[in-house]
Amino acid sequence: MSLGGPKPRTLLAALLLQPRQVVPVERLIDLIWDETPPQTAGALVHTYVSSLRRAVGKALVTRAPGYLLDVDSDVEQFNKHLTTARQAERADDPATAITHYQHGLSLWRGPALHGVESAFARGHAMTLEESRLSAEEGLGRCELAQNRVEDAIARLSSLANAHPAREDTRELLMRAFHRAGRQADALNVYRDAREYLLDELGIEPGEKLRELQTAILNGTLEAAPPKATVVTAPVVTTQQVVPHHLPPDISDFTGREEALKQVLGLTEGREERTATPTVVVSGFGGAGKSALAVHAAHLLRKSYPDGQLFADLRGAGRDLEPQEVIGRFLGLLGIPGQDQPAAPDERVELYRRTVSDRRLVIVLDNARSESQVRPLLPGNANCFVIITSRSRLTGLEGAEPIELGFFNSVVSEEMLSRIVGTDRVGAEPEAAQRISELCGGVPLALRAAGAKLLARPHWPLKTLAKRLSDERRRLDELETGDLAIRSSLRLNYSELDARHRKAFHLLSLLDLPDFGAWVAAPLLDISPYDAEDVVEHLVDLRLVDVAGVDQIGRVRYRFHDLVQLFGAEQAAQEPATEAVTRLLEAWLALVETGVKKLPRVTLGLRPKLHTEIEPDPRLAEDVEEDPTGWLHSETDAVVRAVERAHDLGVDELTTTVITSLLSSPFAARNEFGNWQRTHEVALRSARERGNRRAEAVLLAGLGQLRYEQDDFAAALTSFQQAAEIAGEIDEPETLAVACVGMGTVYRDLAEFDRARELLDQAITLGDNGVVAAASYGVGAIHRDHGDLVEATRAFERCVELFQAQDDQRGEALALRGLSLCHRATGAFAEAVALSREAEQILREAGDELGATYAAQSLAKASLRAGELEGVDDLLAECLEVCTRQHDRFGVALMTRTLGEVALAQGRDDEAAALLEDALTQWTELGLPIWQARTMRDLAAATANDEMWAQAKQLFGQLGAREARELEELSASEWRSALP
């Protein structure tokens, strides 16, 4: 069933997941566009519903305030079978369970909600996939229960291969092999599981899987467990010491409810445990690890009545040795120092023997490494151990990891309220919110800010908010008594050697929004592999965070704001110019490699470099494999690097070159914000240094930006300034590009004589790329004047010029221009073929917006030929792309074309609404020829003779071909001549 694109599929998914329920239009808009809908969302939903109704018929019902789908969905049927199967399995009826598991699984025909990318669908798809895997395991379990061992082995083997991290599947498969007498195969399953979990996740298999392996090795699987031998211990006459050695609990403990629940949950099922329940709480310095551990330990006093032990393993500014901590613990447990053995192994043995029959909570705070912690673990299931560390300590077997992130704004403000009082926060909510934001969700920072406010009860909250807003003072402000973010960060900073310290300094100075590890390579003049190790070490020390994985599969990193401020503060004396220049040169080489693989969307100018820079081959591989993905991932970092390079005094030549190179990918994606940021900072740098050539180049780039933003007045100003400077310094290349830009703007404004003069000048001055672009404009002017023979010749010449330069995008745009000429002469079949060819080339070249315009031409040619099947859907997709890319001209064009389609189909009211909307948009853009064309169509739709006369008059003033075409026609006559 073809629905015409991802958004109609998303609409279908939203309705299918709530069958026979009315889903309001507003809710559908939120689901389809992930709560960031375009202004045209309502119209688009109407179009998608029309497409969907053609596919599902009467099952799609309109019912205020939205729509419902009256169907029995596969999801409902699957869930019913799954529920019945599980009930039968619990009732010890495996035959019935098998039947329903099989019926449910037979409904699957591929990945759940495949092709639907909205956030709500991804969440549902994950849930459904988990249910499917659970059903597969249930079926395998029931097959084993009925002694269908080979069936179970086949099923579970396939499932384990597809989902190697699922330990439940591995366990069932081991049991199936054991049942079949294939013990070696069962043990191989465990070995494969362990290798995978260690290699991919860095963890050992879970307790159930380990115990199952042991039982198979010992030959005790499914045998009755032996009775334990009871040994009567000698009577101890001395009274047992009960230590309560915890720091005070925190009365205003805030925001770690889920983590606390996870810690306390590990105490359940104590009777069945054989290993010490252990949790490792890790996170950023100041994230509240110690607070969580101490609070949890206090809550567990009743469950562990024999006492609580606490040790700060980084006490007194140094790392404590395990033997020293054991000595303290033994003393607290009633064994004086003279009775403690000196040998480390004997001391550990005494410690474990002493706690073996006691139920203790042991808190090991600020652990540095696994080796520091291991001797302190009791070795029995009676005790409960809570470890805190800035490292994850993944080498501790069987420990439950809990990672503490940063507080969100709500929890941050709640914590501030608990410290300084709800009345004070409630009186200044905006200032409280600002303080919370500037503390970056770090509990230690919030506590320091709260303590400062408590110490100064006369301060309004806005006073502290203002002081924190000054980045140069923020770390100073977050210091009160022994509460200091700077001191917390200095603990890890002190562990850096010279290389890692330099990397930390330079990365902090650059202040990138995120970055790949490779950037440390040119900064430190090392290999990319060494750079990755350097950055990962900073991650281990919690000085750098992992931001995620980019779209080409590389890890991205970032700084927390407070860490970046600390790093920049420490880097005050770090010489940075040479290193940052190397980084920019590396970026330049990589950006140029990427741009070469992409269609040329702007003419582009850049200064000649004194030397050609070759990119590192290992880094260039990523760019060449996926240039679009690489540029998308690196753009924000490059833009910020250009800004910071200017601040740090780096030569503007490199920044100008990068800025000019980025114009083409920015234009392809309509990334106006980044495009403007790079040009403005590079232009400022060029002007400060008096580099007039670079200034002209950048002004021409800004002109292109303003043109893409449909700000024609600003575009003209920038192009004119570029042309003026280029003329003064005798730079014909830059002057030619500026002339093409001005000529293109004047053509859109229907000032054809001035446009032709400038385009002819560009043809005289420019290289082949400029000549081809100018020829395109000349052909368009001929077409608008009605000289279709000359227009066709110009566009054919344009195609040849672009083909000679191997510029596929330019060739495709020229083919689209040629298509419009054929459409104007009534050669609709040729127009359709050329538009379709142009669209295919542009899609293969990765130019989504260009392909959208070619698709519009295809729709318009089909309309003129009277072939309306699917045109509505095609134009709806075009409108969606233009809306997403903020292309105002495109939105107006697609809206008008949708109006033309409605007019041709006799839907006059809908046509009038769409055309009125388009007319408003053309008026806002200030494009008179498009206003006239839309007024003509609107007059025909509404039988408005006055508007018809206005449209004809405007065509005449502009000298457009439509003036002659409509000269003897009335609105009704023109309307009747439409296909």
Side-chain angles (χ1 to χ4, degrees):
M1 178 171 61
S2 176
L3 299 175
K7 291 295 187 286
R9 287 197 297 271
T10 304
L11 171 66
L12 176 59
L15 294 171
L16 275 173
L17 289 170
Q18 302 177 71
R20 297 177 300 283
Q21 297 181 42
V22 176
V23 185
V25 171
E26 292 302 318
R27 178 59 179 155
L28 290 172
I29 289 173
D30 288 341
L31 293 175
I32 292 171
W33 284 278
D34 290 340
E35 300 187 1
T36 55
Q39 291 183 344
T40 54
L44 288 170
V45 168
H46 172 76
T47 302
Y48 301 153
V49 167
S50 298
S51 300
L52 184 55
R53 187 168 276 130
R54 287 196 291 272
V56 302
K58 295 181 180 179
L60 179 54
V61 180
T62 302
R63 186 170 298 167
Y67 302 92
L68 67 81
L69 198 59
D70 189 8
V71 295
D72 291 329
S73 72
D74 286 349
V75 172
E76 281 186 303
Q77 295 303 312
F78 171 73
N79 286 331
K80 287 178 182 177
H81 284 299
L82 187 58
T83 299
T84 303
R86 287 171 173 169
Q87 290 171 345
E89 193 175 356
R90 284 194 294 270
D92 198 21
D93 183 3
T96 301
I98 286 175
T99 299
H100 286 282
Y101 278 133
Q102 289 175 334
H103 283 326
L105 290 169
S106 70
L107 296 169
W108 285 77
R109 290 180 290 277
L113 303 178
H114 181 63
V116 183
E117 297 299 329
S118 294
F120 87 94
R122 291 194 295 271
H124 278 287
M126 290 174 63
T127 301
L128 287 168
E129 176 64 9
E130 178 59 33
S131 295
R132 184 186 71 80
L133 297 176
S134 176
E136 292 276 11
E137 288 171 346
L139 182 52
R141 197 165 48 243
C142 291
E143 287 171 338
L144 271 180
Q146 289 209 309
N147 211 30
R148 292 165 53 181
V149 179
E150 293 305 322
D151 290 342
I153 288 174
R155 179 178 310 283
L156 295 167
S157 296
S158 176
L159 194 60
N161 289 334
H163 303 277
R166 291 184 71 87
E167 294 192 39
D168 287 348
T169 302
R170 301 273 197 179
E171 180 193 354
L172 286 169
L173 183 55
M174 289 174 69
R175 292 185 182 279
F177 277 130
H178 179 266
R179 182 81 62 86
R182 297 162 60 181
Q183 276 73 14
D185 289 333
L187 293 172
N188 283 338
V189 172
Y190 178 84
R191 184 200 63 203
D192 293 344
R194 186 172 185 270
E195 287 180 359
Y196 177 85
L197 292 171
L198 283 172
D199 291 347
E200 298 297 327
L201 305 177
I203 61 174
E204 289 280 355
E207 188 174 343
K208 287 172 61 179
L209 216 56
R210 296 200 306 271
E211 290 177 350
L212 180 59
Q213 183 221 21
T214 301
I216 292 173
L217 286 170
N218 295 341
T220 59
L221 182 59
E222 297 181 347
K227 294 183 178 180
T229 302
V230 179
V231 178
T232 305
V235 177
V236 179
T237 57
T238 56
Q239 186 175 0
Q240 211 173 59
V241 176
V242 179
H244 297 295
H245 188 55
L246 290 175
D249 199 2
I250 300 168
S251 60
D252 55 10
F253 183 83
T254 308
R256 298 297 186 192
E257 288 79 6
E258 285 301 317
L260 181 62
K261 182 179 178 182
Q262 190 175 349
V263 173
L264 299 180
L266 289 174
T267 65
E268 298 174 359
R270 214 169 37 236
E271 296 76 8
E272 293 80 24
R273 290 183 182 274
T274 58
T276 308
T278 304
V279 61
V280 176
V281 182
S282 59
F284 177 82
K289 302 180 293 294
S290 300
L292 172 64
V294 170
H295 186 62
H298 277 284
L299 293 176
L300 290 170
R301 288 182 65 164
K302 290 184 179 180
S303 299
Y304 293 88
D306 296 331
Q308 306 85 40
L309 297 173
F310 176 90
D312 183 351
L313 302 184
R314 195 174 283 188
R318 65 182 178 85
D319 291 340
L320 299 185
E321 292 296 327
Q323 297 306 309
E324 182 180 352
V325 178
I326 289 176
R328 293 183 186 180
F329 282 176
L330 287 172
L332 291 167
L333 293 166
I335 302 176
Q338 63 269 22
D339 294 340
Q340 298 177 18
D345 55 344
E346 293 179 7
R347 183 173 287 201
V348 171
E349 183 180 347
L350 175 60
Y351 164 64
R352 288 177 174 164
R353 190 167 62 246
T354 302
V355 301
S356 64
D357 60 346
R358 304 195 194 195
R359 293 165 64 183
L360 295 165
V361 175
I362 303 170
V363 178
L364 305 175
D365 197 28
N366 280 322
R368 168 74 69 84
S369 65
E370 291 90 343
S371 62
Q372 187 187 25
V373 167
R374 245 186 217 103
L376 304 174
L377 300 179
N380 65 75
N382 294 330
C383 299
F384 185 84
V385 180
I386 306 175
I387 304 168
T388 75
S389 176
R390 299 191 184 195
S391 300
R392 292 181 175 86
L393 304 185
T394 54
L396 286 180
E397 300 82 356
E400 181 79 12
I402 295 179
E403 178 82 8
L404 296 188
F406 302 110
F407 284 167
N408 60 34
S409 59
V410 174
V411 178
S412 296
E413 290 174 48
E414 179 188 349
M415 182 173 182
L416 193 62
S417 295
R418 291 191 179 187
I419 297 172
V420 305
T422 55
D423 291 344
R424 201 168 172 189
V425 168
E428 296 182 80
E430 292 182 1
Q433 182 180 10
R434 182 62 176 155
I435 291 170
S436 299
E437 289 173 356
L438 294 170
C439 288
V442 179
L444 178 59
L446 289 159
R447 194 163 293 282
K452 179 158 284 191
L453 289 170
L454 286 177
R456 293 166 176 78
H458 52 284
W459 271 16
L461 266 62
K462 68 178 181 181
T463 299
L464 180 59
K466 184 175 182 180
R467 293 167 72 99
L468 288 172
S469 297
D470 185 347
E471 290 187 351
R472 296 166 299 179
R473 292 188 49 82
R474 190 175 304 162
L475 294 177
D476 294 326
E477 296 296 337
L478 294 174
E479 185 168 346
T480 305
D482 62 350
L483 297 172
I485 280 290
R486 188 184 278 113
S487 299
S488 176
L489 292 170
R490 201 170 272 129
L491 285 174
N492 284 356
Y493 178 73
S494 65
E495 298 181 23
L496 298 175
D497 60 21
R499 172 188 276 188
H500 293 93
R501 187 166 293 192
K502 183 175 183 180
F504 179 56
H505 290 172
L506 292 171
L507 289 168
S508 298
L509 284 174
L510 283 169
D511 189 20
L512 305 175
D514 62 62
F515 55 92
W518 74 268
V519 301
L523 285 176
L524 302 180
D525 201 14
I526 59 178
S527 76
Y529 298 121
D530 289 340
E532 187 172 25
D533 291 339
V534 167
V535 175
E536 282 293 338
H537 185 61
L538 296 178
V539 172
D540 292 339
L541 291 177
R542 302 291 175 166
L543 293 171
V544 167
D545 295 329
V546 175
V549 177
D550 63 25
Q551 68 183 66
I552 63 171
R554 301 170 309 161
V555 179
R556 306 291 295 183
Y557 305 87
R558 66 179 169 216
F559 284 108
H560 187 279
D561 289 348
L562 296 178
V563 179
Q564 186 274 321
L565 291 176
F566 174 79
E569 183 179 88
Q570 305 306 310
Q573 303 304 317
E574 183 77 58
T577 302
E578 182 180 343
V580 174
T581 299
R582 280 199 306 270
L583 173 60
L584 285 178
E585 288 176 346
W587 243 322
L588 169 61
L590 294 169
V591 169
E592 186 162 30
T593 299
V595 170
K596 285 178 181 177
K597 300 284 185 179
L598 295 175
R600 191 179 185 186
V601 179
T602 58
L603 285 175
L605 286 163
R606 68 181 180 96
K608 299 294 188 294
L609 293 175
H610 298 300
T611 58
E612 290 298 325
I613 304 165
E614 291 294 329
D616 185 298
R618 290 162 292 189
L619 300 176
E621 286 179 9
D622 285 341
V623 186
E624 291 172 344
E625 185 175 341
D626 184 0
T628 301
W630 188 90
L631 284 163
H632 186 275
S633 300
E634 295 289 342
T635 291
D636 288 342
V638 177
V639 171
R640 181 59 178 154
V642 169
E643 293 175 334
R644 290 297 292 140
H646 171 68
D647 297 339
L648 296 169
V650 174
D651 178 15
E652 89 285 351
L653 177 64
T654 305
T655 58
T656 301
V657 174
I658 290 180
T659 297
S660 300
L661 278 172
L662 284 171
S663 293
S664 193
F666 282 153
R669 300 194 300 269
N670 270 20
E671 290 186 2
F672 300 135
N674 284 331
W675 192 350
Q676 181 169 333
R677 282 173 60 191
T678 53
H679 273 75
E680 286 181 347
V681 70
L683 181 60
R684 188 164 64 249
S685 177
R687 284 172 170 167
E688 287 175 0
R689 295 169 186 252
N691 188 333
R692 302 210 75 200
R693 185 176 191 281
E695 182 181 0
V697 168
L698 292 163
L699 282 167
L702 276 174
Q704 181 71 29
L705 164 63
R706 300 306 182 199
Y707 177 76
E708 295 294 334
Q709 289 177 306
D710 303 310
D711 188 346
F712 302 113
L716 269 179
T717 298
S718 293
F719 283 133
Q720 287 166 349
Q721 291 173 348
E724 183 179 345
I725 295 173
E728 291 173 0
I729 64 174
D730 192 24
E731 279 289 343
E733 182 184 4
T734 308
L735 178 58
V737 170
C739 286
V740 172
M742 289 186 289
T744 302
V745 174
Y746 279 122
R747 177 176 64 80
D748 279 353
L749 295 174
E751 296 186 31
F752 296 124
D753 292 341
R754 181 69 178 131
R756 181 62 189 272
E757 178 184 341
L758 287 161
L759 293 170
D760 286 344
Q761 184 179 356
I763 290 172
T764 303
L765 294 170
D767 60 15
N768 288 339
V770 170
V771 172
S775 298
Y776 181 95
V778 170
I781 291 171
H782 282 310
R783 187 182 63 228
D784 287 337
H785 275 152
D787 191 346
L788 298 176
V789 173
E790 286 300 317
T792 299
R793 288 175 183 165
F795 281 120
E796 288 174 343
R797 173 62 176 153
C798 195
V799 170
E800 293 172 359
L801 287 168
F802 281 123
Q803 286 176 337
Q805 299 170 74
D806 195 25
D807 185 342
Q808 291 184 323
R809 180 182 186 274
E811 176 191 354
L813 294 180
L815 288 172
R816 177 180 180 270
L818 196 58
S819 166
L820 302 187
C821 293
H822 284 294
R823 191 181 77 209
T825 62
F828 301 129
E830 291 86 345
V832 167
L834 288 167
S835 292
R836 185 171 282 119
E837 182 181 359
E839 182 188 12
Q840 181 178 351
I841 292 172
L842 288 164
R843 292 207 186 281
E844 290 175 355
D847 184 359
E848 182 186 38
L849 198 59
T852 297
Y853 277 80
Q856 182 271 340
S857 299
L858 173 62
K860 189 74 174 281
S862 300
L863 170 64
R864 290 287 178 262
E867 299 172 1
L868 301 180
E869 181 69 29
V871 170
D872 265 332
D873 294 340
L874 179 59
L875 289 170
E877 290 179 26
C878 293
L879 177 58
E880 182 184 324
V881 172
C882 294
T883 300
R884 172 164 42 81
Q885 295 222 22
H886 311 290
D887 179 22
R888 296 166 62 204
F889 184 98
V891 170
L893 180 63
M894 305 310 163
T895 304
R896 172 180 177 258
T897 312
L898 279 166
E900 291 181 275
V901 173
L903 183 63
Q905 293 177 332
R907 296 180 279 124
D908 288 1
D909 290 343
E910 185 177 342
L914 289 164
L915 293 168
E916 284 174 1
D917 187 6
L919 181 58
T920 300
Q921 294 178 55
W922 295 128
T923 303
E924 291 173 353
L925 290 170
L927 298 176
I929 195 164
W930 290 100
Q931 289 175 258
R933 288 167 179 166
T934 307
M935 288 169 61
R936 172 198 63 192
D937 299 338
L938 183 56
T942 58
N944 187 327
D945 292 336
E946 182 179 352
M947 182 176 289
W948 179 260
Q950 291 174 353
K952 290 172 65 174
Q953 182 181 7
L954 185 53
F955 279 132
Q957 292 171 354
L958 298 173
R961 59 181 172 82
E962 286 90 346
R964 295 189 300 275
E965 294 172 358
L966 304 179
E967 187 174 7
E968 302 297 331
L969 294 175
S970 66
S972 59
E973 289 171 334
W974 183 80
R975 167 73 185 275
S976 63
L978 290 176

